Amino acid sequence: MLPTATIPLSARGEPWFDDGNIILLAEEHDTASNDAAAFKVHRGVLARHSEVFQSMFELSTPTLGDVEVADRCPIVYMHDRPTELSALIRALYDGASFEHRGIQDFYHVAGILRLATKYFIAHLRREAIRHLLETWPHTLAGHDRFIERAVKAPLVSDLTYPYVHPLHVLNLARETHVRIIVPSALYFLSLYPLPDILKGDHPKLRVEHPSRPSSELSARDLQDYTLMFQHRIDVILDFIRQSCGARTPTKGCQGQPGLCQKAFVRLGSRLSRSWVVRTGPLHYTVQAIDELADDPNVCVPCRRAFREDVVALRQRIWAELPGIIGLPSWEELEKADLAS
């Protein structure tokens, strides 16, 4: 857009403040449409939240001869998607508002996280990360809530919960350097067969939006996917064979001789026939507890001991997830990504 006396109404984005003192012109050059939108804002408001904005505005003063002016305000060209810059500015003025009603809400938070990272707006970046963690968890309790919602939540636009593909979550995390989301995104991504991921034709990957992350699995993440996939299978098989099939009665067993042990063998046998490549061990172990509870041949002490051991095993599986792909502990990741 060339410098003009007035920005036409058709080019004005939201927000546009009549009393603003600087115009941000966002031009998207990486799409066929070359969309553009202008935002008339207050330099002091944006500079207060970002040193990057402050430095940019200092170079865009009307006293400099080569600065374009429109509506009596200097123009600053922004190499950002107009939809994302609009969302960022509104979040700075009105506060961020994040929802999880469908895939469009993910794209909204993705755009804000992307620009909050680019312009070093720490508080907004943390808010976006915390919102993503409500779905893509860093705790075992969060994982269990995820599974519960996935079972109960209705379809939204013909997409199942959590409405967004874990590959998009993973690529957003990589792009914005948010490591705390990576382990759970890779864990859930490992439930998808690799040929399907490489095809990139899953409905969740094909929803068009300017803020959609890449739908390609990088070479780096292909390695991490393989490590997580193999670890998940190893955990399932070890649980079936050792924690169930080879389990012996507890010291306080009150059942008839051999009865409880035979029940554990039967449980291991049933589990070995029921698991599939897409089985998630963290949920599968809970199902094993429920299945054993329905067996009248297992005494109360053996049932209780099995439950306690499985609970401890699930905690250990979750704690080990970051290390499988070479990341530090959950606690260290939290300090790094959510520190004030």
Side-chain angles (χ1 to χ4, degrees), residues 103-104 107 159 168 202-209 212:
I103 195 169
Q104 299 298 325
Y107 293 144
L159 300 177
H168 280 167
H202 192 284
K204 293 179 181 178
L205 295 176
R206 300 177 68 180
V207 177
E208 294 292 338
H209 193 279
R212 186 181 72 183

Side-chain angles (χ1 to χ4, degrees), residues 90-301:
R90 285 184 281 118
L92 292 178
Y93 273 89
D94 305 328
S97 177
F98 300 128
E99 303 285 348
H100 190 68
R101 301 161 299 184
I103 195 169
Q104 299 298 325
D105 288 332
F106 169 76
Y107 293 144
H108 173 72
V109 69
I112 289 181
L113 176 59
R114 190 176 281 124
L115 293 193
T117 300
K118 177 180 179 179
Y119 294 114
F120 292 88
I121 306 174
H123 74 279
L124 206 52
R125 173 180 160 89
R126 284 194 301 271
E127 286 185 56
I129 294 173
R130 290 189 185 280
H131 173 74
L132 289 172
L133 288 175
E134 292 178 7
T135 304
W136 303 92
H138 66 306
T139 65
L140 181 56
H143 165 274
D144 294 344
R145 288 192 296 269
F146 179 104
I147 297 299
E148 183 178 0
R149 295 189 196 111
V151 171
K152 298 179 179 179
L155 293 176
V156 175
S157 301
D158 292 326
L159 300 177
T160 58
Y161 184 91
Y163 315 121
V164 59
H165 198 286
L167 179 57
H168 280 167
V169 178
L170 175 62
N171 283 335
L172 175 66
R174 294 298 197 193
E175 178 187 352
T176 55
H177 313 292
V178 181
R179 296 191 301 168
I180 195 170
I181 297 173
V182 170
S184 61
L186 271 168
Y187 173 80
F188 287 110
L189 183 63
S190 77
L191 301 178
Y192 290 78
L194 183 58
D196 292 350
I197 297 174
L198 297 179
K199 287 178 183 176
D201 60 356
H202 192 284
K204 293 179 181 178
L205 295 176
R206 300 177 68 180
V207 177
E208 294 292 338
H209 193 279
S211 296
R212 186 181 72 183
S214 169
S215 297
E216 295 183 3
L217 185 67
S218 69
R220 170 190 182 181
D221 285 325
L222 174 59
Q223 173 179 308
D224 286 348
Y225 165 89
T226 304
L227 291 171
M228 188 66 77
F229 183 95
Q230 187 60 55
H231 174 70
R232 183 172 55 81
I233 300 301
D234 289 344
V235 167
I236 291 173
L237 294 179
D238 185 70
F239 173 71
I240 293 173
R241 295 167 181 169
Q242 301 301 320
S243 300
C244 298
R247 186 179 181 86
T248 57
T250 186
K251 291 183 180 180
C253 177
Q254 298 175 352
Q256 297 181 15
L259 204 59
C260 287
Q261 186 159 5
K262 289 180 181 178
F264 287 126
V265 172
R266 287 196 303 273
L267 175 63
S269 179
R270 289 196 299 272
L271 293 177
S272 67
R273 295 192 301 270
S274 66
W275 80 280
V276 295
V277 174
R278 290 199 62 177
T279 297
L282 290 164
H283 183 54
Y284 196 56
T285 50
V286 172
Q287 292 175 312
I289 293 175
D290 296 337
E291 189 166 340
L292 189 71
D294 294 333
D295 192 332
N297 295 311
V298 182
C299 71
V300 172

Side-chain angles (χ1 to χ4, degrees), residues 38-56:
F39 306 93
K40 191 175 183 181
V41 295
H42 306 90
R43 69 168 67 205
V45 174
L46 272 61
R48 179 173 178 267
H49 292 283
S50 167
E51 293 182 2
V52 178
F53 278 140
Q54 182 176 1
S55 298
M56 290 170 56

